[in-house]
Amino acid sequence: MSSVAPRVVDPRASIAEERKTPSFPIRELTYWIDGDKHTTELKERIMLELERDPLWRVSDHPNLSLAETRERAMSKVRRLADLATSRPLQETMMRMSIISVVDPGFWTRFGVHYGLFFGALQGQATPAQLAYWMDKGAMSMQGITGCFGMTELGHGSNVAGLETTATLDESTDEFVVHSPTLTATKWWIGGAAHTATHCAVYAQLIVKGKRYGTKTFVVQLRDTKTFQLMPGVNIGDLGKKMGRDQIDNGWIRFTHVRIPRSHMLMKHTKVTRSGEVIEPALAQLAYGALIQGRVSMVSDSANVAKRALTIAVRYASVRRQFSDGTPGAAETKLLDYPIHQHRLLPLMAQAFAMAFTAREVNADYQRLMGVLSELGGDAKGAAVNEAIKDLKETHATSAGLKAFCTWMCLNIIDQCRQSLGGHGYSAYTGLSQAYSDFAVHCTWEGDNTILTLQCGRYLVATALEARKGQPLPANLSYLKAALSKDGSVSTGSCKGNAVEQVSSLDTLKAAWSSVAAHAIVNAVRDFEAGLAKGLSKDNAYEYSSASRLHAARMHTYTYLLHRFAAQVEQSPVSLRPILTLLAQLFGAHSAIQHSGEFLQSAFYTGAQVETLKAFVNHACSEIRKDAVPLTDAFGYTDYVINSPLGRYDGDVYEKYFELVTSLNPAKPVPYFDSLIKPLLERTNEVETGPELEIDQD
């Protein structure tokens, strides 16, 4: 063992050397990730505005109480509401995107009104109804603050099973909104406990004793002047949660609450004064707006993952641990250990895959909404049929992506947190709270397992239709070669054994298409086996639920890789080498994690899988050279990163120590006299035995 201590290296010098020779133009990649130069500059301006605004201080969040957390969040609402109604939509959307990373709890509190309550009005109100509620102040938050009353104590994902009722009283031209059971209590309603004056309530429409399914009704909760609860409305606070304490989630019970008939949102289903219920010929058009939340969570997953990786990768570039034994040599950077590269860099590839997929999916969604907005509920013809097909495909794809990407992001956060070692457990290093705040994404806007099964159901149904000659959507074109009348599967195999052949982007796309096709065909077989046993169609789908879920996961991997590859092809020439390598790493590392699927589909042999493993080793070592520049390209300032371990300048230890000591100054222990002193000064009340003589024979 050497008596010479390892050489100490300034962490700022350690991170500076990481930026000396990037293989790509960092700024150009930032523009490509954001969309263009203008968007990057807008993002940077908004980040600076937030950083300089005392209202948006975030470094002390870990020390705030529940009450302080909620109060601070509410102090920001007016400022942002004024900006939201006075600034261009693109700027507002960018501001909210940044806030979702900086302060996700506030993002939720603000988003409940604008995204959910006002979004319900936009998506489900008639033009006249929307104008009425906007005149009341729904858009500007002047006179109205809204919440979204879907989830109940006894029902979440099963919206059709909600128990709250809205019964038409023809004699008064009113709906009577009622919670008939304890489990009908609206639960987890953000904004209900303290803030909301009105609620978009999902309830069973009942007219003349007949149920017409779940519809949306605007119900006033509190008097807008006195803030007292309206007659028949009971509200309570759900208190402390795992994360996002900025939002005041509450419960609501309705006891025969009367609202005007016009407060049912009637863009789709209409109820006349005489009690006639007019339902649209194409009721599924009403669900287009519900996809928006899922699409936005794919973007949010990418953004939160980018922050987590920035912290973990930058810290790994300055943290040194152990040395090769050379006297006086510096300890080795964590990022120089191959195992640490394997720990973080495949996650980096996943973040890029999510980011580029989010961009394409959002563009597809916007195009679809444009088409649907031009179609009325009673529209007919080929254009409508095509729109319905696109809607079904987008609904299923967004369901699978929402589930897959939020699961992926939550894992990225926790793996990055663990990579920080003991410091990852600190509330001040940024990732413990990020995990708690993000976990809700896996259950709200649809439980992930349920959404994945919805995607799987669509895949099975589409495969069955394709077998009968129906055209496949572009995202499932890989099924064409795999399907046959007799149920056999033929998807090809990898022909070469060289690493360039086994790991090329085209080969990986074909490999994942093969695996996804096999998984879908297996789910179809299980479904048909259920039917053969005499099960109903719905029960046959349940019988095949495990294989449906697996098929959806394999399809989503495939979808992400194909979208990633498409963005690589469209990218500037200067960025293609690094983006290609990241896309290959995403496809290859994911394939190794599911190597059994590739062997079972016979696309790869065992030897080829070993070659793929060697490629992953190579890709990690190459991407490691650009790891810090890649985090720089994400374009988040130190304010947004909000972690001393993820600082741009690498000065992690000084700033970490300063933060902890400034937020926890030395002061007398408040319970010393009452607890510690009595503990130390207590006397033994039992008789003790003789001293133990340990030196006696």
Side-chain angles (χ1 to χ4, degrees), residues 185-202:
T185 304
K186 293 297 180 182
W187 203 261
W188 286 121
I189 311 305
H194 295 168
T195 316
T197 61
H198 291 70
C199 183
V201 177
Y202 280 68

Side-chain angles (χ1 to χ4, degrees), residues 63 428 653-666:
N63 283 22
Y428 304 109
Y653 301 116
E654 289 281 351
K655 299 305 179 184
Y656 184 23
F657 187 82
E658 287 176 12
L659 180 64
V660 171
T661 53
S662 65
L663 292 179
N664 301 280

Side-chain angles (χ1 to χ4, degrees), residues 5-294:
R7 178 168 54 88
V8 176
V9 181
D10 186 334
R12 292 172 296 183
S14 292
I15 203 167
E17 67 184 14
E18 297 287 337
R19 299 188 171 105
K20 287 181 178 178
T21 56
S23 71
F24 62 92
I26 296 173
R27 192 66 173 171
E28 194 168 350
L29 181 54
T30 302
Y31 295 156
W32 184 248
I33 293 171
D34 292 341
D36 53 46
K37 179 180 179 182
H38 169 75
T39 304
T40 295
E41 291 174 345
L42 174 62
K43 180 176 78 172
E44 290 172 342
R45 177 171 68 78
I46 292 172
M47 288 190 293
L48 184 61
E49 288 176 2
L50 292 172
E51 181 177 358
R52 292 181 174 179
D53 188 339
L55 270 180
W56 285 94
R57 182 189 179 197
V58 292
S59 59
D60 64 340
H61 274 188
N63 283 22
L64 299 181
S65 67
L66 174 62
E68 289 169 336
T69 298
R70 288 181 173 179
E71 183 177 352
R72 184 175 294 188
M74 198 62 206
S75 69
K76 304 170 186 175
V77 168
R78 178 172 178 174
R79 176 85 51 90
L80 206 59
D82 290 341
L83 287 172
T85 53
S86 63
R87 303 300 300 161
L89 179 61
Q90 182 191 14
E91 180 178 322
T92 298
M93 297 302 291
M94 175 58 74
R95 182 173 281 105
M96 292 306 295
S97 175
I98 296 167
I99 288 171
S100 72
V101 179
V102 171
D103 191 350
F106 172 80
W107 176 83
T108 305
R109 185 162 195 164
F110 195 76
V112 161
H113 176 88
Y114 280 101
L116 296 179
F117 176 75
F118 191 69
L121 296 178
Q122 287 180 302
Q124 301 181 56
T126 66
Q129 287 179 318
L130 181 59
Y132 170 84
W133 289 111
M134 288 181 68
D135 287 343
K136 290 282 188 180
M139 184 174 181
S140 60
M141 266 193 183
Q142 293 172 294
I144 286 181
T145 54
C147 62
F148 188 75
M150 179 182 284
T151 309
E152 295 177 352
L153 180 59
H155 286 88
S157 297
N158 183 15
V159 177
L162 296 178
E163 297 178 76
T164 303
T165 58
T167 306
L168 181 66
D169 184 343
E170 295 176 57
S171 66
T172 61
D173 198 28
E174 294 174 315
F175 282 109
V176 180
V177 180
H178 185 59
S179 307
T181 63
L182 175 66
T183 50
T185 304
K186 293 297 180 182
W187 203 261
W188 286 121
I189 311 305
H194 295 168
T195 316
T197 61
H198 291 70
C199 183
V201 177
Y202 280 68
Q204 298 288 344
L205 171 64
I206 302 175
V207 178
K208 302 181 188 296
K210 181 179 177 181
R211 289 178 174 250
Y212 289 88
T214 304
K215 312 300 176 188
T216 312
F217 304 80
V218 179
V219 181
Q220 186 168 352
L221 304 178
R222 294 177 169 95
D223 186 289
T224 56
K225 302 298 183 184
T226 67
F227 221 60
Q228 295 298 308
L229 294 177
M230 299 299 288
V233 176
N234 297 97
I235 292 178
D237 193 336
L238 291 183
K240 186 76 176 171
K241 305 183 293 294
M242 180 177 175
R244 301 195 187 225
D245 279 329
Q246 292 88 335
I247 180 70
D248 52 324
N249 294 85
W251 57 264
I252 310 172
R253 297 192 78 185
F254 302 104
T255 305
H256 303 297
V257 176
R258 290 181 170 270
I259 62 172
R261 177 176 54 86
S262 60
H263 285 198
M264 172 183 162
L265 301 183
M266 298 190 193
K267 181 177 182 179
H268 303 289
T269 299
K270 298 174 175 59
V271 178
T272 67
R273 175 69 179 84
S274 62
E276 180 186 4
V277 179
I278 304 171
E279 297 190 272
L282 299 171
Q284 55 266 60
L285 293 178
Y287 298 103
L290 298 179
I291 300 172
Q292 182 177 7
R294 299 173 184 175

Side-chain angles (χ1 to χ4, degrees), residues 571-612:
S571 66
V573 174
S574 60
L575 302 178
R576 286 183 196 168
I578 186 63
L579 292 180
T580 299
L581 195 55
L582 284 163
Q584 288 176 281
L585 179 58
F586 173 73
H589 183 267
S590 303
I592 290 170
Q593 289 182 312
H594 299 86
S595 57
E597 304 296 326
F598 291 83
L599 296 172
Q600 189 174 9
S601 71
F603 189 91
Y604 283 134
T605 65
Q608 288 169 333
V609 170
E610 291 303 312
T611 301
L612 209 55

Side-chain angles (χ1 to χ4, degrees), residues 686-692:
V686 295
E687 187 175 329
T688 60
E691 291 289 332
L692 178 63

Side-chain angles (χ1 to χ4, degrees), residues 336-627:
D336 283 333
Y337 286 105
I339 193 62
H340 212 77
Q341 296 166 17
H342 277 256
R343 196 173 189 178
L344 293 180
L345 299 184
L347 305 182
M348 178 81 76
Q350 291 174 11
F352 273 92
M354 289 190 288
F356 290 142
T357 298
R359 183 156 71 196
E360 290 210 9
V361 170
N362 186 62
D364 291 344
Y365 169 75
Q366 295 299 335
R367 282 193 292 270
L368 176 61
M369 289 300 99
V371 171
L372 295 180
S373 67
E374 297 175 2
L375 298 173
D378 298 315
K380 299 177 181 178
V384 174
N385 293 335
E386 192 64 28
I388 294 299
K389 281 177 60 177
D390 288 346
L391 179 60
K392 289 180 179 179
E393 196 277 329
T394 304
H395 180 275
T397 298
S398 65
L401 284 171
K402 181 269 181 185
F404 193 90
C405 291
T406 54
W407 271 329
M408 185 179 283
C409 179
L410 191 65
N411 178 64
I412 288 173
I413 296 169
D414 196 46
Q415 292 304 311
C416 288
R417 183 192 65 78
Q418 291 184 46
S419 78
L420 303 180
H423 296 320
Y425 199 64
S426 171
Y428 304 109
T429 53
L431 293 182
S432 59
Q433 190 60 51
Y435 185 91
S436 297
D437 285 337
F438 194 83
V440 69
H441 275 62
C442 297
T443 46
W444 70 6
E445 292 283 338
D447 172 82
N448 277 2
T449 298
I450 299 299
L451 291 181
T452 307
L453 287 172
Q454 287 179 6
C455 179
R457 182 168 181 146
Y458 168 79
L459 296 174
V460 169
T462 302
L464 290 170
E465 291 174 2
R467 192 185 287 171
K468 298 174 183 176
Q470 292 296 314
L472 285 163
N475 294 327
L476 283 169
S477 59
Y478 61 79
L479 268 177
K480 185 174 183 180
L483 294 172
S484 63
K485 297 284 186 181
D486 62 3
S488 61
V489 188
S490 176
T491 55
S493 60
C494 179
K495 302 303 181 185
N497 293 314
V499 66
E500 296 82 4
Q501 296 168 302
V502 173
S503 63
S504 75
L505 201 46
D506 285 340
T507 299
L508 288 165
K509 286 165 60 180
W512 272 106
S513 295
S514 170
V515 164
H518 275 78
I520 293 170
V521 170
N522 286 339
V524 169
R525 288 173 181 163
D526 285 352
F527 172 73
E528 292 179 326
L531 293 177
K533 291 176 179 290
L535 299 177
S536 67
K537 184 177 179 180
D538 284 342
N539 285 335
Y541 273 120
E542 290 307 313
Y543 180 81
S544 61
S545 59
S547 54
R548 276 195 295 135
L549 188 138
H550 179 67
R553 290 177 70 91
M554 296 301 100
H555 169 70
T556 307
Y557 267 117
T558 305
Y559 186 93
L560 282 161
L561 181 60
H562 280 251
R563 301 285 73 73
F564 196 168
Q567 288 292 308
V568 171
E569 292 170 6
Q570 298 168 30
S571 66
V573 174
S574 60
L575 302 178
R576 286 183 196 168
I578 186 63
L579 292 180
T580 299
L581 195 55
L582 284 163
Q584 288 176 281
L585 179 58
F586 173 73
H589 183 267
S590 303
I592 290 170
Q593 289 182 312
H594 299 86
S595 57
E597 304 296 326
F598 291 83
L599 296 172
Q600 189 174 9
S601 71
F603 189 91
Y604 283 134
T605 65
Q608 288 169 333
V609 170
E610 291 303 312
T611 301
L612 209 55
K613 290 179 181 178
F615 169 76
V616 168
N617 291 337
H618 165 74
C620 284
S621 66
E622 288 298 307
I623 293 171
R624 180 264 172 271
K625 302 171 187 175
D626 284 317

